[in-house]
Amino acid sequence: MQYNNTNMIVIGGSNANNIDKNLIKLLNAKGANLVHKRFPDGEQYVRIEDSLAGKTVVIVQSLYPNQDSALMELLLILEAVQALKPARVITVVPYLAYARQDKRFLTGEPISVRVVLEALNLYTKDTLITIDIHKPESLKYFKGTSMNIIPVKSIANALRRDINGLEKRDVVVIAPDKGAFRRAELLAKELGDVDYDYLEKFRDRHTGEVIHKLKEVNVRGRIAILVDDIISTGGTIAKAAKMLYDEGAREVIAACSHGLFVDNALNKLAGSKITKVYSTNTVPQPSGVRVVDVSTEIAERIKEVVKS
Ligand code: R5P
């Protein structure tokens, strides 16, 4: 049965990366016209040209690239939306920037993720949906209902083509550190209960060198799928891939939720003999990356929110 929501309006900011358009189709909703301009001095201006009174409004804005300007645009949209008296507002932030600064590592630092989430709170205490935030606990700073989607269903669907026809024992999912272990576990389950493990970091007390060791699983002769939340410079994944090849992995594939690929990250990954790189479309992807669309997982979550 086709899902029909005539009462739902989807607004995409400049960083919606087409997820807004996909949601309009998947949810059978309507789009709204958002004017976005810059004044000569660089300040942003937005205007929503549709009536939102009594509607369920879904706003889509990723906070990468141009994190600061994307956040400001989202705040302007939220303020404008509230003034148009919608029945409810579901804010979809596929990539939530500043999430890695989730504590005061050193005295005098800010908790940056708190600043972002509390800023959103100024204009909405309704529902926030994000994809694979660095630490889900950070969502406590958002005072409405928040949901974190770890997009393993979408990533697994894409990866199935690569492992099609292989035996279960030929595939293993590896997290590059303990913090990413849960994601590896979820992906391994989606891939039909294949083995999973994480790399432990040790520092050589004499040389200071960081050494990675597999916790339990043997990767010899197997296809290792390295999975992380973010690939930024590619350093973490490149190092992990080298270690897996040293341990005898037949092939290493990398997959992440947010492929930022700054500097020469993709060259670094190619240099470490990673054969394929997957990222979702929470942020725009350069060529060479296999793009996984997360719109369906977001749409499913929105349907649940609206039903509840
Ligand atoms: C760190 O805790 C994150 O989960 C990623 O492993 C990290 O952000 C990746 O960064 P890079 O690609 O620069 O090594």
Side-chain angles (χ1 to χ4, degrees):
M1 199 177 78
Q2 199 184 28
Y3 183 84
N4 190 359
N5 204 327
T6 47
N7 208 32
M8 186 182 284
I9 306 249
V10 180
I11 301 174
S14 312
N15 270 9
N17 206 23
N18 283 326
I19 291 177
D20 56 332
K21 297 192 178 66
N22 297 340
L23 291 180
I24 289 171
K25 281 194 206 123
L26 291 163
L27 296 166
N28 215 3
K30 288 206 177 83
N33 204 27
L34 176 75
V35 177
H36 176 257
K37 293 194 290 203
R38 281 198 186 263
F39 290 108
D41 61 0
E43 288 178 5
Q44 301 184 70
Y45 166 94
V46 301
R47 178 161 185 252
I48 295 144
E49 296 190 315
D50 299 72
S51 157
L52 302 182
K55 305 279 186 190
T56 294
V57 176
V58 176
I59 302 168
V60 186
Q61 173 79 329
S62 199
L63 301 185
Y64 188 88
N66 309 314
Q67 296 88 325
D68 304 346
S69 136
L71 174 62
M72 187 62 192
E73 182 186 340
L74 176 56
L75 294 173
L76 295 176
I77 295 170
L78 279 167
E79 202 279 344
V81 163
Q82 290 302 355
L84 294 170
K85 307 263 180 272
R88 64 175 311 174
V89 178
I90 301 169
T91 308
V92 179
V93 182
Y95 176 75
L96 201 121
Y98 289 100
R100 282 174 289 178
Q101 180 75 23
D102 56 0
K103 62 178 181 191
R104 294 182 216 285
F105 297 94
L106 297 173
T107 309
E109 290 180 348
I111 303 171
S112 307
V113 69
R114 175 182 183 179
V115 174
V116 172
L117 290 168
E118 290 186 351
L120 299 184
N121 262 165
L122 293 171
Y123 303 107
T124 178
K125 290 196 176 62
D126 198 327
T127 305
L128 172 69
I129 299 177
T130 191
I131 304 281
D132 212 352
I133 185 169
H134 185 60
K135 289 243 177 70
E137 306 87 271
S138 302
L139 287 169
K140 67 176 182 239
Y141 296 118
F142 183 76
K143 296 302 173 220
T145 304
S146 54
M147 293 169 190
N148 181 44
I149 301 172
I150 303 186
V152 289
K153 278 202 171 79
S154 311
I155 294 175
N157 281 343
L159 283 166
R160 261 184 216 111
R161 267 173 275 138
D162 295 319
I163 59 170
N164 202 4
L166 294 176
E167 298 285 330
K168 200 166 130 178
R169 63 170 180 272
D170 289 331
V171 182
V172 57
V173 179
I174 306 288
D177 54 44
K178 201 173 176 185
F181 187 54
R182 174 80 182 134
R183 188 176 303 100
E185 181 185 2
L186 292 173
L187 182 60
K189 292 224 154 72
E190 278 300 324
L191 289 172
D193 266 326
V194 298
D195 281 348
Y196 56 95
D197 202 353
Y198 70 92
L199 296 174
E200 272 189 307
K201 266 187 206 168
F202 298 94
R203 192 170 291 277
D204 185 309
R205 295 285 162 214
H206 302 289
T207 63
E209 193 196 350
V210 174
I211 304 160
H212 290 91
K213 277 199 186 133
L214 275 164
K215 186 89 173 103
E216 280 168 9
V217 166
N218 186 350
V219 293
R220 185 156 300 278
R222 305 170 93 181
I223 295 186
I225 299 167
L226 265 171
V227 65
D228 208 351
D229 57 342
I230 301 172
I231 299 180
S232 180
T233 64
T236 305
I237 290 290
K239 227 184 222 165
K242 183 181 175 315
M243 192 254 137
L244 294 172
Y245 279 120
D246 288 349
E247 290 288 315
R250 185 200 321 176
E251 182 183 347
V252 180
I253 295 173
C256 66
S257 300
H258 314 291
L260 309 184
F261 304 118
V262 302
D263 303 332
N264 271 329
L266 284 176
N267 288 342
K268 209 180 276 172
L269 298 186
S272 65
K273 300 200 181 66
I274 286 171
T275 54
K276 293 166 193 132
V277 180
Y278 287 88
S279 169
T280 80
N281 57 344
T282 57
V283 301
Q285 289 308 307
S287 66
V289 174
R290 290 155 199 250
V291 185
V292 177
D293 182 17
V294 284
S295 308
T296 304
E297 286 196 78
I298 298 173
E300 292 306 318
R301 201 54 74 92
I302 292 174
K303 284 182 200 171
E304 284 167 26
V305 170
V306 173
K307 247 196 275 162
S308 63

